[in-house]
Amino acid sequence: GAGVSQSPRYKVAKRGQDVALRCDPISGHVSLFWYQQALGQGPEFLTYFQNEAQLDKSGLPSDRFFAERPEGSVSTLKIQRTQQEDSAVYLCASSFQGGGGTEAFFGQGTRLTVV
Amino acid sequence: AQTVTQSQPEMSVQEAETVTLSCTYDTSESNYYLFWYKQPPSRQMILVIRQEAYKQQNATENRFSVNFQKAAKSFSLKISDSQLGDTAMYFCALHPQGAQKLVFGQGTRLTINP
């Protein structure tokens, strides 16, 4: 596709439900990132993939958060037993390579609201 | 630890004026990259300008330029001849050389008034 695509754009979940957020990166992009953006804040890093390998998951806030990219393309961020503090916009970004200075292209994000 | 601080939560200027957004950062890395991203209401982050720390010359992209002061760890963004379409959240971000992630500031909400 022309850009990074995320789905759904909006998700409302009841507390305790599991959710899955999808990211389709730009074709051929090796690196994929997930960020969490709370209301009125800057994005915070969650995790990083190089192809199918998850090389950094230091930003995942708890073991309820899990991300995968099994074929090195589409990625899914899963949140189990959602809690109200999980409410945020989840941004996905991809880049051609992971080197510093490489432009990361962002999707429009998924706004998750936990009620 | 890497941190980015944007001390101006909101700014507002008239169309065609020049505006400067402030950013300071902290890192122990000797080389790194700095970015300004724009986030309109659509939520999609758009790269405005980037600067590599070892380059002394300030980056420029059309109406956008930066004032990079490495010793002071300051990286401000100047928007000249501001346009209504510049209205957005602006985020300063740091990419340390050894890490594969961006560290963002809290953002500045910029409004350009007609």
Side-chain angles (χ1 to χ4, degrees):
Chain A
V4 178
S5 178
Q6 292 187 246
S7 60
R9 286 214 60 196
Y10 301 90
K11 176 69 178 178
V12 178
K14 291 185 178 179
R15 190 168 47 188
Q17 278 186 333
D18 297 349
V19 298
L21 312 181
R22 178 187 170 104
C23 173
D24 280 89
I26 294 173
S27 178
H29 277 194
V30 168
S31 297
L32 185 144
F33 308 83
W34 284 97
Y35 290 86
Q36 180 189 58
Q37 186 176 19
L39 186 65
Q41 301 295 316
E44 292 193 357
F45 171 79
L46 293 177
T47 188
Y48 161 66
F49 289 87
Q50 184 177 84
N51 294 308
E52 69 278 4
Q54 188 175 21
L55 298 185
D56 187 348
K57 53 182 181 179
S58 63
L60 296 177
S62 77
D63 58 7
R64 296 186 296 104
F65 286 71
F66 172 75
E68 59 183 5
R69 192 186 185 198
E71 297 178 359
S73 179
V74 171
S75 177
T76 304
L77 177 66
K78 298 180 179 178
I79 309 173
Q80 297 177 324
R81 304 181 303 281
T82 53
Q83 300 177 5
Q84 283 193 318
E85 59 262 32
D86 300 335
S87 295
V89 173
Y90 291 85
L91 296 170
C92 177
S94 71
S95 65
F96 181 67
Q97 59 186 30
T102 304
E103 180 177 357
F105 294 84
F106 284 80
Q108 292 183 294
T110 295
R111 181 182 295 281
L112 173 65
T113 303
V114 181
V115 297
Chain B
Q2 336 274 356
T3 60
V4 176
T5 303
Q6 294 178 248
S7 58
Q8 304 152 312
E10 295 188 27
M11 293 191 73
S12 178
V13 298
Q14 297 298 120
E15 192 176 7
E17 289 184 346
T18 294
V19 60
T20 299
L21 309 183
S22 301
C23 172
T24 58
Y25 61 92
D26 192 21
T27 179
S28 57
E29 298 286 333
S30 58
N31 196 23
Y32 46 89
Y33 296 82
L34 294 161
F35 300 82
W36 279 97
Y37 275 91
K38 169 185 177 181
Q39 187 179 42
S42 68
R43 299 200 305 255
Q44 186 167 18
M45 289 279 194
I46 301 165
L47 178 64
V48 174
I49 199 165
R50 87 186 87 184
Q51 174 86 39
E52 189 163 7
Y54 77 80
K55 291 186 178 178
Q56 297 199 358
Q57 185 173 6
N58 289 324
T60 299
E61 289 285 344
N62 300 314
R63 298 183 296 108
F64 300 87
S65 62
V66 298
N67 183 3
F68 174 47
Q69 301 289 330
K70 190 172 184 179
K73 294 184 177 176
S74 170
F75 183 62
S76 61
L77 174 70
K78 185 172 84 170
I79 306 174
S80 303
D81 185 27
S82 57
Q83 301 175 359
L84 297 179
D86 296 333
T87 293
M89 285 290 292
Y90 285 80
F91 291 95
C92 178
L94 166 69
H95 185 159
Q97 177 69 17
Q100 298 301 340
K101 62 180 174 183
L102 291 167
V103 178
F104 286 89
Q106 307 94 312
T108 295
R109 182 178 302 279
L110 176 64
T111 302
I112 310 298
N113 299 306

